[in-house]
Amino acid sequence: AQTVTQSQPEMSVQEAETVTLSCTYDTSESDYYLFWYKQPPSRQMILVIRQEAYKQQNATENRFSVNFQKAAKSFSLKISDSQLGDAAMYFCAYRSAQGAQKLVFGQGTRLTINP
Amino acid sequence: DSGVTQTPKHLITATGQRVTLRCSPRSGDLSVYWYQQSLDQGLQFLIQYYNGEERAKGNILERFSAQQFPDLHSELNLSSLELGDSALYFCASSVSLIAYEQYFGPGTRLTVT
């Protein structure tokens, strides 16, 4: 079974600075997808960014980018120019490319933005 | 707004009772997923339906059941409720089995007293 681990329960960053959230996963599959979801105080789950395992290029969405290291099974999220609205719980998630389409989530990292 | 709707937003009930949570997927989405978010278990996959058929089961208790109707909306039935069932229940949808993006509803907060 696949597992996802987020080793940082909490992180904080100054507004306008850059922060990196860590995620590692364990799988025997070669083809899969990885995601970062944001959960603000409203509790809504919002997809931030996704990465296909077969792509070597790291995904980028505006101020959000990932560092995908397939061999190391590592998938970190970098937030540049942090804004107060980025404060939330961030969840890393794994999905198989075949078979079950369920998402397997990490425990989450609570990100605080200091003004 | 993801386009996925869930009702009710909040539900407070007593132990031993039965409740039904409802989910309407985004227009055109055929696949529905149910997840449970609790303090001790985190976010866990419960069950998936695709075009009316059960597709995959996760850590879903026998006291829980779900179905997807011909109009593609889904219901999650929780019975013989226990205090530990208190959680946020999310529904998510995706357009197909191949689509990798799942869009989440706002969740139903269930409190069992």
Side-chain angles (χ1 to χ4, degrees), chain A residues 39 44 50 95 101 103, chain B residues 37 48 99-102 104:
Chain A
Q39 187 178 40
Q44 177 77 50
R50 72 169 187 268
R95 201 214 110 170
Q101 290 90 38
L103 291 170
Chain B
Q37 184 177 28
Q48 178 198 5
Y100 36 67
E101 293 191 16
Q102 295 182 20
F104 281 74

Side-chain angles (χ1 to χ4, degrees), chain B residues 52-64:
Chain B
E53 300 286 329
E54 182 183 301
R55 181 74 183 176
K57 258 184 174 178
N59 299 324
I60 187 166
L61 300 171
E62 284 193 14
R63 301 183 284 107
F64 296 2

Side-chain angles (χ1 to χ4, degrees), chain A:
Chain A
Q2 295 83 22
T3 59
V4 177
T5 301
Q6 293 178 248
S7 58
Q8 305 154 315
E10 295 183 357
M11 292 279 288
S12 63
V13 64
Q14 291 295 124
E15 195 176 1
E17 297 294 307
T18 295
V19 64
T20 299
L21 309 184
S22 301
C23 172
T24 59
Y25 57 95
D26 188 30
T27 184
S28 58
E29 299 175 328
S30 58
D31 199 12
Y32 48 86
Y33 306 104
L34 296 166
F35 306 85
W36 280 97
Y37 278 87
K38 170 185 177 181
Q39 187 178 40
S42 67
R43 299 290 190 176
Q44 177 77 50
M45 294 290 288
I46 302 165
L47 177 63
V48 174
I49 198 166
R50 72 169 187 268
Q51 175 78 43
E52 295 89 337
Y54 63 85
K55 290 187 177 179
Q56 291 189 343
Q57 187 171 7
N58 289 321
T60 299
E61 287 286 343
N62 301 314
R63 298 181 295 107
F64 299 86
S65 61
V66 299
N67 183 4
F68 173 48
Q69 302 288 330
K70 191 172 184 179
K73 296 180 182 174
S74 170
F75 182 61
S76 61
L77 174 70
K78 185 171 85 171
I79 306 174
S80 303
D81 185 25
S82 298
Q83 301 175 1
L84 294 178
D86 296 332
M89 281 290 286
Y90 285 82
F91 291 94
C92 178
Y94 172 102
R95 201 214 110 170
S96 297
Q98 282 133 30
Q101 290 90 38
K102 66 178 183 180
L103 291 170
V104 178
F105 287 92
Q107 306 93 315
T109 296
R110 181 174 301 281
L111 178 64
T112 301
I113 312 295
N114 300 312

Side-chain angles (χ1 to χ4, degrees), chain B:
Chain B
D1 185 357
S2 66
V4 179
T5 60
Q6 288 187 249
T7 56
K9 290 184 76 171
H10 303 280
L11 199 49
I12 301 173
T13 189
T15 54
Q17 295 298 304
R18 172 189 168 95
V19 297
T20 297
L21 313 184
R22 182 188 171 101
C23 167
S24 292
R26 294 187 321 156
S27 178
D29 283 3
L30 298 176
S31 195
V32 169
Y33 309 78
W34 286 97
Y35 294 88
Q36 179 195 58
Q37 184 177 28
S38 62
L39 281 174
D40 51 347
Q41 299 288 336
L43 265 161
Q44 288 197 103
F45 167 73
L46 295 178
I47 197 163
Q48 178 198 5
Y49 278 82
Y50 177 76
N51 204 19
E53 300 286 329
E54 182 183 301
R55 181 74 183 176
K57 258 184 174 178
N59 299 324
I60 187 166
L61 300 171
E62 284 193 14
R63 301 183 284 107
F64 296 2
S65 64
Q67 53 184 326
Q68 186 179 26
F69 294 86
D71 66 352
L72 301 178
H73 91 272
S74 178
E75 292 181 357
L76 179 66
N77 300 296
L78 315 177
S79 61
S80 302
L81 285 166
E82 301 174 0
L83 295 177
D85 297 328
S86 295
L88 189 54
Y89 291 84
F90 284 108
C91 168
S93 72
S94 64
V95 64
S96 69
L97 293 176
I98 301 174
Y100 36 67
E101 293 191 16
Q102 295 182 20
Y103 296 90
F104 281 74
T108 292
R109 164 74 66 188
L110 173 66
T111 302
V112 182
T113 61

